[in-house]
Amino acid sequence: GYDVEVHEVEAGRFNVVARSGDGPVDGEPAGGRRLILNGHLDTVGVEGMADDPFAGDLRDGMVWGRGACDMKGGLAIILATAAALSPRGKDGSAPSPGELVVALTADEEHASVGMQRFVETGWRAHGAVVCEPTSLTVMPAHKGFLWIDGTFRGRAAHGSRPEKGVDAILHAGQFLAALMDLETDLTLGEPHPLLAFPSFHAGTIEGGTAPSVYPAECRLVLERRTLPGEGAEDAFRPFAEVLGSLRHSVEDLDATLEPGLFRPGTEVPLEDPLVRTLLAAMEGEGVAPNVEGMTAWVDAAFLNEAGIPAVCFGPGSIAQAHSAQEWVPVDDLETGARVLT
């Protein structure tokens, strides 16, 4: 009973978009409001998993396997809801006054090319529920992130010739140590009511060629987790200032920092009809109407940036996502589908 389209957004990577009505994409649906249910089709890899990643075993009240919670479980409750609200209905008439759009997108675990393509096609809606694993908690706010690429250049020399060498790794270490005050500064302001404070960490570092050689280069990537409203430049500037100060005290320091991939944090106000209606549906199905912040970045950001209020609500816990053993409770699947419907 749905109009279904499949879009190849990159070679071998597909979006599936289904709609219960036939109105214009950027117009109002006939007779009511439009709701998008979204989930991503991809998962992370399976290396190091303790169980058969593709078995889909059902045991101890859980479904086990890669993607069980992140986010095949979310896809399952979306499809169950779509089936329950089929525009054909039992009597051949639409059981809902609005339009339901099911948007299943590719590549969230990497570059989100699927969601980017979806919003670029001009969809408009009154709200969206992204069914990431939240343990059936409504999460209307999430953090963003900025990756910062650092390159420290030294001078290669034999390890026995300190007068000739400049240690790029040591300089990178001095920079990291100088960031400790910045970590404290990030917790001095007023905390976000759902997300608390921004943060940062050193994600990767590499450099050097051999133990007996002064390293000519060291590369590191920092990740700064941002709050809604923080821009890339706001997040990057303090790191550049720390490096600038370090140049006055560290001899032969030759380093550059560059802002990399940025994804904004976004939020939907608690008084938004989407949040209030979802919480009411939870209470109606006997689920505690809890509201929390999502610390991870998710595709909901693209929807919010496009003017579509988007919140996260789905089965399973983010603690199981990407782990060696991944599962989703069957109760979460059944209850989640009833709440969405």
Side-chain angles (χ1 to χ4, degrees):
Y2 286 78
D3 295 326
V4 183
E5 296 181 353
V6 178
H7 304 278
E8 189 170 18
V9 295
E10 277 191 356
R13 310 301 298 277
F14 298 89
N15 283 354
V16 180
V17 181
R19 57 189 308 183
S20 62
D22 56 2
V25 168
D26 57 355
E28 295 292 325
R33 299 164 72 81
R34 180 184 289 138
L35 176 69
I36 295 172
L37 300 182
N38 167 248
H40 63 83
L41 295 162
D42 59 321
T43 70
V44 295
V46 300
E47 184 178 358
M49 289 199 71
D51 302 302
D52 182 345
F54 304 118
D57 286 336
L58 176 60
R59 65 177 189 272
D60 303 324
M62 314 283 187
V63 179
W64 299 73
R66 174 56 81 224
C69 76
D70 189 16
M71 58 175 295
K72 304 301 185 183
L75 300 180
I77 70 169
I78 290 172
L79 295 177
T81 300
L85 298 178
S86 168
R88 289 175 180 167
K90 292 183 178 180
D91 59 358
S93 61
S96 170
E99 180 179 74
L100 179 65
V101 176
V102 174
L104 311 180
T105 50
D107 195 55
E108 189 269 353
E109 298 289 2
H110 178 55
S112 295
V113 295
M115 178 54 76
Q116 290 187 71
R117 178 68 60 84
F118 178 76
V119 298
E120 286 169 0
T121 56
W123 279 98
R124 297 291 179 266
H126 298 86
V129 181
V130 179
C131 295
E132 290 275 4
T134 69
S135 298
L136 300 186
T137 294
V138 177
M139 295 189 174
H142 65 89
K143 290 182 177 180
F145 66 85
L146 170 69
W147 290 346
I148 300 172
D149 300 308
T151 302
F152 292 78
R153 290 168 289 274
R155 186 166 58 245
H158 194 279
S160 65
R161 302 294 302 276
E163 74 281 4
K164 298 291 186 181
V166 175
D167 191 335
I169 293 178
L170 180 60
H171 285 173
Q174 289 172 296
F175 171 68
L176 291 173
L179 295 177
M180 296 305 295
D181 288 342
L182 178 57
E183 187 174 37
T184 301
D185 291 345
L186 290 176
T187 63
L188 296 179
E190 189 71 22
H192 187 281
L194 296 177
L195 300 171
F197 297 102
S199 63
F200 74 88
H201 69 278
T204 64
I205 186 168
E206 58 180 342
T209 58
S212 60
V213 178
Y214 273 79
E217 187 175 77
C218 180
R219 296 170 302 280
L220 63 87
V221 179
L222 302 167
E223 181 181 73
R224 165 69 150 79
R225 289 283 166 166
T226 63
L227 296 179
E230 285 191 291
E233 178 58 33
D234 297 328
F236 176 75
R237 187 183 306 109
F239 294 89
E241 291 172 350
V242 169
L243 181 62
S245 298
L246 205 62
R247 296 185 194 279
H248 301 297
S249 58
V250 177
E251 187 178 358
D252 295 323
L253 178 64
D254 180 7
T256 55
L257 293 179
E258 297 290 341
L261 180 65
F262 174 66
R263 295 289 189 241
T266 60
E267 61 184 331
V268 176
L270 297 182
E271 62 272 15
D272 189 274
L274 175 68
V275 178
R276 291 190 287 103
T277 304
L278 186 51
L279 291 173
M282 294 168 67
E283 287 190 286
E285 294 299 330
V287 181
N290 294 326
V291 176
E292 297 178 8
M294 174 167 273
T295 56
W297 183 89
V298 290
D299 273 352
F302 285 104
L303 295 164
N304 280 316
E305 291 286 294
I308 301 172
V311 303
C312 292
F313 170 83
S317 168
I318 195 69
Q320 271 71 61
H322 304 188
S323 63
Q325 286 190 303
E326 187 174 351
W327 69 87
V328 62
V330 172
D331 284 348
D332 274 18
L333 297 174
E334 295 175 343
T335 304
R338 290 198 305 271
V339 170
L340 280 190
T341 301

